[in-house]
Amino acid sequence: MAVSFPIPSYFTAIFIISRLMSIMGISKHLNNKLLPPLDNITDKLSLDPSAIESASQDFGHIVKSIPKAVLQPSSIADIASLINFSYNSSIPFTIAAKGHGHSVRGQAMANDGVVVDMTSMKKHRNGTGIWVSNDGVYADVGGEQLWIDVLNATLKHGVAPVSWTDYLYLTVGGTLSNGGISGQSFRYGPQISNVYEMDVITGKAEIVTCSPNKNSELFYAALGGLGQFGIITRARIPLEPAPKRVKWIRMLYNDFTAFTRDQELLISINGRHDSHALGYLEGSLLMDHGSPDNWRSSFFPPKHHPKITSSIINHRIIYCLEVVKHYDYQTQNTVDKELEQLLKGLSYMPGFMFEKDVLYAEFLNRVQRGELKARSQGLWDVPHPWLNLFIPKSQIQRFNDGVFKGIVLERNITTGPVLVYPMNRKKWDDRMSAVIPDEEIFYTVGFLHSSGFDDREAFDDQNKEILKFCEEAGIGVKQYLPHFTSKDEWVHHFGSKWETFQQRKFQFDPKMILSPGQRIFNNN
Ligand code: FAD
């Protein structure tokens, strides 16, 4: 945790303000009387080298951008005050909210600007950071809160959100700025489809409550908006009764066509309140790199490892279909039958179905075990040259031939998880900023590489080759957690949404202050 000046005296305050102003080249006075003067946040503005260092890096360990200062806010007004200060300056400086810094390409950084360390808000919420409504229908959650804390707090009331990410140590504001996807998305939509209302501080320092009915333009802009329109300080998340346990199943395929056909069949049962539907569906590749488990999850019983490994060696790639069915006391006697019905007739390799029965919370927090293991081996704080893509259903077979078989197998460097699973477009809302392919079903493919500090280039080269193949083959791919370096690439990425995206930027952050690390409007 970054440290502020220990004794925030009047003189320290004056020193920091004048230093920050001179560093930023600021001369103009503030004039917004509704907001506290900047003096109120000087003891929260840190120039401490350890705070600066921490704000200069992220989970990717690829980009380093050094801010001039770090704000450790204790209130929403502190954040508004900082934005107001920049907005009213003759030369505005950039400001990036940093959630948990789990971006991989510097998206939460602000070169020569100020990083807002959102986690510092947690200490000052006095237990109000996650508030469950009396009827258990929604939770009001601070943008700085981690999803793991949202899970634990809501479970105490017997309820929980329905849409998750695979890994829960991410902030609410961070995932809502992207999408927030996982195996629940086919049925419940991404996390951005599961928000009733938000409080957002815009790039003009206005604190705005927005929802589909109130200030809806800002609401839809901020969801999947890559932090461009405002800092999310509260989100109202719908809750439903939480299942007690899950049946967790993995089935292995050597035939990609059968694998995707079965995935698509299973996600066709997707009614939000359809008790026959699965609670979760994902998929991944298994390739010949030692154990069939990886840092993301260990699942297969060790006694079956030899048979799985020999199947991988025979076929070079095995496709793993992973599903979950929720159950509780009312359904514990029928869940096995339901599952049997659902999985009847699927074309996985006979003898290659594996099952676990675990608590709902244990399932949702499954990746943390992998994190702890990777950390203990020194394999967590390493470069992560990730590539996440959305592929239209009509192109997924070509993608398998050209990328999984043609590039990934040939280069033979991929050791980390490669995810591949479909989603239903109708569960997304096109008014939001998030960009997805046009087809009704599209796949997400995630290459979640870890590399050494010396061999990252090989993974970057592979990523480039994959993108080049997609471009030349006309696959119509869209990046998730996108990373581009030129404006033209961003315009191409947003496609028909670009005009709206740009117009919303002019409306809510006309001085281009927010989230410069995305390099959309600050890409010089
Ligand atoms: P940061 O990296 O801190 O910020 C991301 C962006 O959002 C930045 O532009 C930042 O300025 C902006 N931002 C941060 N907070 C706010 C706020 N309150 N208001 C407005 N803008 C804000 N994603 C998935 O969808 N599904 C997954 O299953 C998944 N698994 C992951 C597993 C791991 C191990 C990791 C490292 C990442 C994973 N991600 C996943 C990606 C993750 O959702 C994004 O990287 C997300 O941005 C991380 O959240 P964060 O809190 O660390 O955000």
Side-chain angles (χ1 to χ4, degrees):
M1 175 59 61
V3 185
S4 293
F5 287 88
I7 312 163
S9 65
Y10 175 77
F11 295 105
T12 317
I14 295 297
F15 169 75
I16 296 178
I17 291 185
S18 48
R19 175 117 185 253
L20 189 64
M21 288 175 78
S22 73
I23 286 168
M24 302 295 183
I26 292 166
S27 58
K28 198 174 167 186
H29 289 294
L30 295 177
N31 56 8
N32 189 335
K33 296 193 172 55
L34 293 175
L35 291 164
L38 191 65
D39 309 31
N40 285 10
I41 59 167
T42 46
D43 60 334
K44 295 154 195 163
L45 267 173
S46 179
L47 308 181
D48 181 88
S50 71
I52 301 281
E53 174 65 19
S54 161
S56 308
Q57 45 185 310
D58 62 19
F59 182 77
H61 290 286
I62 295 168
V63 172
K64 195 165 171 93
S65 289
I66 302 173
K68 295 286 190 211
V70 177
L71 179 73
Q72 288 156 340
S74 59
S75 68
I76 290 163
D78 287 348
I79 304 172
S81 209
L82 179 76
I83 298 177
N84 192 47
F85 187 58
S86 175
Y87 184 71
N88 284 295
S89 300
S90 50
I91 307 173
F93 53 89
T94 57
I95 296 172
K98 179 176 179 179
H100 209 213
H102 276 50
S103 295
V104 297
R105 297 274 176 182
Q107 286 93 335
M109 296 180 195
N111 201 34
D112 286 342
V114 178
V115 168
V116 180
D117 173 8
M118 294 298 288
T119 57
S120 101
M121 286 284 288
K122 274 174 82 175
K123 295 192 287 258
H124 302 279
R125 290 279 197 182
N126 295 327
T128 61
I130 302 167
W131 181 81
V132 177
S133 65
N134 291 337
D135 53 8
V137 167
Y138 64 81
D140 275 327
V141 177
E144 75 288 349
Q145 299 292 321
L146 296 178
W147 284 103
I148 182 68
D149 297 327
V150 177
L151 175 65
N152 290 331
T154 52
L155 280 183
K156 285 186 190 146
H157 300 257
V159 288
V162 291
S163 183
W164 297 95
T165 45
D166 293 345
Y167 176 66
L168 303 182
Y169 293 76
L170 307 168
T171 65
V172 169
T175 69
L176 294 184
S177 296
N178 282 294
I181 57 168
S182 182
Q184 297 86 12
S185 303
F186 81 91
R187 180 172 173 195
Y188 297 102
Q191 291 181 322
I192 51 173
S193 295
N194 290 278
V195 183
Y196 286 149
E197 182 181 283
M198 290 186 293
D199 289 338
V200 176
I201 313 174
T202 68
K204 296 195 273 190
E206 293 161 343
I207 303 172
V208 180
T209 298
C210 56
S211 71
N213 303 318
K214 190 175 170 189
N215 299 308
S216 59
E217 192 71 20
L218 180 59
F219 181 77
Y220 293 122
L223 291 169
L226 306 175
Q228 294 306 303
F229 309 104
I231 296 186
I232 300 164
T233 56
R234 178 186 64 96
R236 180 166 288 182
I237 311 288
L239 304 173
E240 291 195 9
K244 290 279 175 292
R245 298 188 67 85
V246 308
K247 298 278 180 185
W248 182 9
I249 290 174
R250 286 189 181 175
M251 296 158 278
L252 303 188
Y253 292 71
N254 56 24
D255 176 2
F256 187 72
T257 309
F259 166 72
T260 49
R261 189 181 54 230
D262 285 354
Q263 284 191 321
E264 288 168 24
L265 178 73
L266 292 170
I267 70 157
S268 67
I269 308 166
N270 57 46
R272 208 176 161 97
H273 298 292
D274 184 343
S275 61
H276 299 298
L278 289 167
Y280 163 103
L281 179 142
E282 285 199 3
S284 57
L285 304 190
L286 301 181
M287 288 174 291
D288 182 20
H289 290 291
S291 166
D293 289 324
N294 56 48
W295 65 260
R296 211 179 132 267
S297 96
S298 55
F299 182 91
F300 301 107
K303 69 174 181 193
H304 291 299
H305 280 201
K307 112 173 167 181
I308 297 171
T309 304
S310 89
S311 179
I312 297 170
I313 291 169
N314 279 346
H315 298 284
R316 298 190 72 202
I317 301 189
I318 290 292
Y319 306 96
C320 172
L321 172 46
E322 178 177 52
V323 301
V324 153
K325 183 93 181 119
H326 301 151
Y327 73 97
D328 52 29
Y329 298 128
Q330 283 77 47
T331 51
Q332 62 186 357
N333 295 325
T334 52
V335 63
D336 287 327
K337 205 117 222 80
E338 284 257 3
L339 254 177
E340 201 184 303
Q341 266 316 101
L342 270 168
L343 306 183
K344 198 170 68 186
L346 299 189
S347 309
Y348 55 90
M349 298 186 294
F352 285 87
M353 179 205 264
F354 307 92
E355 182 179 335
K356 273 189 179 186
D357 186 326
V358 299
L359 284 169
Y360 179 59
E362 186 188 337
F363 167 70
L364 287 181
N365 198 19
R366 63 200 175 280
V367 177
Q368 200 219 6
R369 264 191 296 150
E371 173 187 356
L372 296 176
K373 193 168 152 204
R375 275 190 191 282
S376 71
Q377 299 167 337
L379 298 175
W380 188 252
D381 291 320
V382 294
H384 293 103
W386 287 11
L387 180 65
N388 287 278
L389 304 172
F390 290 145
I391 323 280
K393 168 190 149 158
S394 64
Q395 302 296 322
I396 197 66
Q397 185 69 51
R398 288 175 75 209
F399 190 87
N400 178 57
D401 296 339
V403 175
F404 293 152
K405 293 189 170 165
I407 298 175
V408 175
L409 272 188
E410 290 315 308
R411 285 190 173 241
N412 199 25
I413 54 169
T414 299
T415 53
V418 180
L419 307 182
V420 47
Y421 59 91
M423 288 181 254
N424 295 304
R425 188 176 214 285
K426 66 179 180 190
K427 303 284 177 175
W428 294 64
D429 189 325
D430 211 29
R431 290 168 293 185
M432 295 174 185
S433 295
V435 175
I436 56 175
D438 283 336
E439 292 183 14
E440 210 33 68
I441 292 175
F442 63 91
Y443 280 77
T444 184
V445 173
F447 296 96
L448 309 184
H449 295 128
S450 301
S451 78
F453 284 89
D454 301 330
D455 62 354
R456 203 193 81 224
E457 210 173 308
F459 294 93
D460 284 338
D461 287 348
Q462 176 168 304
N463 290 343
K464 278 185 205 142
E465 191 181 349
I466 292 170
L467 291 171
K468 183 161 174 270
F469 167 83
C470 291
E471 180 69 30
E472 289 174 1
I475 298 282
V477 68
K478 291 290 176 193
Q479 279 193 41
Y480 177 58
L481 312 170
H483 160 71
F484 301 107
T485 47
S486 75
K487 186 152 186 175
D488 284 351
E489 289 171 303
W490 280 111
V491 173
H492 179 69
H493 169 76
F494 281 104
S496 59
K497 284 191 168 183
W498 172 252
E499 283 307 319
T500 306
F501 195 84
Q502 186 171 236
Q503 183 269 322
R504 285 168 169 174
K505 183 71 174 176
F506 293 143
Q507 185 178 351
F508 299 116
D509 181 22
K511 298 198 177 170
M512 316 289 166
I513 290 170
L514 298 173
S515 277
Q518 298 281 1
R519 303 182 70 180
I520 305 173
F521 299 98
N522 315 68
N523 49 9
N524 295 322

